[in-house]
Amino acid sequence: MRFVHCSDVHITADYLAQPFFRLGWRRWVALAELAVGGRARAYRRAPETLAAIAREARAQKADHLILSGDLTAYALDSEFEGARAALSGWVEDRTRCTVIPGNHDVYTPGSERSRRFERYFGHLLESDLPEHCREGAFPFVRLVGEEAAVIGLKSARVPPVPGISNGLIGPAQLEGLHALVKDPRLAGRALLVVVHHAPLTPRGRADKWTHGLRDAEALCRLLPGPRHAVLHGHIHHRYHHLATAERPHIFGAGSSTMAGREGYWVIDVSQGQVVGGEKHVPQVSG
């Protein structure tokens, strides 16, 4: 079976055209990152790049497309709309697509309170085994064919202030994940666990407190060996740490649409094991 994994696509609206006072103070701070930091320029072609990844996933005959969060720049409706449009037919079929929120998708308390992510992608959070959900829809599970299952976790939380972007799965979801791993209905299947924040950096270390996954060790302890893989984003570099007896495969998709760093993973599963992944760069016309 074949899975395409992308992340951190950051569909970015024209913030200078937005009503200034409706943006709120958090997005006012972010305007400096967009303009002075070059973020708006880096993601100018994000919709076209995400659409190219979706097209190539079909050409690759992928069984399932996974997007591990940060669909938006700062959680505007128009950005969610743009991400959904770029994913096209994939997002209409929950049996073939998994999308979870990243920290940029819950950037403001209002975006979380109004369930803005769920407004556009909530149908993808429905679980095939809902009795294991512990925090709202999470963890949810999608049975893919006879050899694999995709499990979605939520680590993205509204940041207290811009600049702090760490993640937390929390004990309730981890307990639900533990129950899923032990569920006999998943026996013999490879388990691809999707979470936004990275368990390890490209160097194989824990990320810094302000940016990392606070319960990364607890997550990895539940998923030892090559039957398991964690698919994440958040760190804008693409890398893979092989599974060991103590931890799963770890696939970081990087930022799939960032100018100069475009790319995604094609991950293969065979006989209930994750057998490898290959990096691809999307071909964007124009």
Side-chain angles (χ1 to χ4, degrees):
M1 303 197 71
R2 177 158 286 182
F3 296 80
V4 164
H5 173 215
C6 60
S7 197
D8 292 64
V9 297
H10 291 298
I11 306 299
T12 302
D14 180 358
Y15 276 77
L16 296 181
Q18 306 298 316
F20 183 73
F21 288 102
R22 290 186 63 184
L23 290 175
W25 70 269
R26 292 168 186 263
R27 295 193 185 97
W28 296 345
V29 174
L31 289 176
E33 183 182 37
L34 282 170
V36 179
R39 194 178 188 96
R41 184 171 60 255
Y43 291 103
R44 182 177 59 86
R45 301 204 65 196
E48 295 93 332
T49 306
L50 180 56
I53 293 171
R55 285 195 303 272
E56 291 181 19
R58 293 188 198 93
Q60 299 267 6
K61 300 190 183 306
D63 296 284
H64 204 84
L65 185 149
I66 295 168
L67 203 170
S68 52
D70 277 4
L71 289 76
T72 67
Y74 302 108
L76 291 181
D77 276 295
S78 62
E79 295 170 341
F80 285 112
E81 290 168 0
R84 180 160 179 157
L87 288 167
S88 62
W90 285 102
V91 80
E92 305 304 327
D93 185 356
R94 73 181 185 89
T95 68
R96 300 197 67 206
C97 186
T98 294
V99 181
I100 62 165
N103 56 294
H104 280 257
D105 305 320
V106 293
Y107 194 76
T108 64
S111 63
E112 177 84 327
R113 209 167 35 243
S114 66
R115 297 172 59 83
R116 196 165 296 152
F117 173 87
E118 287 83 355
R119 198 180 305 161
Y120 297 95
F121 298 98
H123 63 293
L124 299 180
L125 305 182
E126 296 177 24
S127 181
D128 291 339
L129 302 175
E131 63 271 27
H132 293 305
C133 299
R134 296 293 187 273
E135 183 185 340
F138 299 93
F140 64 85
V141 63
R142 188 81 61 248
L143 305 178
V144 184
E146 299 297 324
E147 292 189 40
V150 177
I151 298 172
L153 299 173
K154 182 179 180 180
S155 62
R157 310 292 171 177
V158 179
V161 293
I164 295 180
S165 57
N166 56 23
L168 179 71
I169 299 166
Q173 286 187 69
L174 289 172
E175 189 276 324
L177 175 62
H178 177 72
L180 279 167
V181 170
K182 300 299 183 184
D183 193 309
R185 291 169 291 183
L186 298 187
R189 293 176 181 265
L191 302 184
L192 282 69
V193 177
V194 187
V195 67
H196 180 63
H197 290 77
L200 296 173
T201 67
R203 295 186 176 185
R205 302 171 182 167
D207 202 353
K208 58 187 178 182
W209 180 86
T210 56
H211 193 260
L213 180 61
R214 288 161 55 188
D215 40 12
E217 289 186 15
L219 172 65
C220 289
R221 279 198 302 269
L222 293 175
L223 304 168
R227 178 194 175 201
H228 306 109
V230 170
L231 281 55
H232 70 84
H234 198 51
I235 295 176
H236 288 185
H237 295 278
R238 203 159 294 111
Y239 57 96
H240 174 210
H241 294 303
L242 288 167
T244 69
E246 291 79 34
R247 73 173 190 223
H249 288 281
I250 296 173
F251 289 93
S255 179
S256 294
T257 61
M258 184 179 183
R261 295 187 185 178
E262 301 93 338
Y264 59 94
W265 282 104
V266 175
I267 299 169
D268 289 323
V269 167
S270 179
Q271 299 181 343
Q273 303 275 306
V274 178
V275 295
E278 186 176 71
K279 296 178 187 179
H280 288 253
V281 177
Q283 301 301 307
V284 184
S285 59

